[in-house]
């Protein structure tokens, strides 16, 4: 079974280093970032360094609920199983979005 991970904020700092470490360890990655240009450049760099692995890029602003919904949908279509690395913000926010208004107010 192929190892898979989703990283948020992977175009800089610790997220970038984590992407390199996971890729070197054989992980296929979904890279969730705001900046499409930086994400595309990172995806191309990783693909050239690790040609046998799969690297997908998803653009989303985690402060925008519509972006989160779209990203979750895109990711679900691309992958059926994954591990969450760096943080689980997307998962927590997505679960919150599934609550009714009443449930959100009491959550």
């Amino acid at each position: 079974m192929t190892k898979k991970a989703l990283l948020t904020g992977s175009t800089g700092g610790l997220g970038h280093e984590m992407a390199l470490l996971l890729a070197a360890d054989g992980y296929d990655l979904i890279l969730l970032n705001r900046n499409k240009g930086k994400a595309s450049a990172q995806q191309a760099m990783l693909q050239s360094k690790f040609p046998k692995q799969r690297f997908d890029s998803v653009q989303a602003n985690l402060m925008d609920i519509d972006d989160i919904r779209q990203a979750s949908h895109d990711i679900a279509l691309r992958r059926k199983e994954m591990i969450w690395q760096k943080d689980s913000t997307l998962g927590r926010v997505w679960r919150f979005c599934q609550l009714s208004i009443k449930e959100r107010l009491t959550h």
Side-chain angles (χ1 to χ4, degrees), residues 3-15:
K3 299 182 282 185
K4 301 170 183 81
L6 179 134
L7 290 171
T8 59
S10 69
T11 59
L14 292 174

Side-chain angles (χ1 to χ4, degrees), residues 29-42:
L29 300 175
I30 296 175
L31 308 167
L32 181 65
N33 295 288
R34 283 182 296 203
N35 186 305
K36 189 174 185 175
K38 286 182 180 180
S40 294
Q42 181 186 38

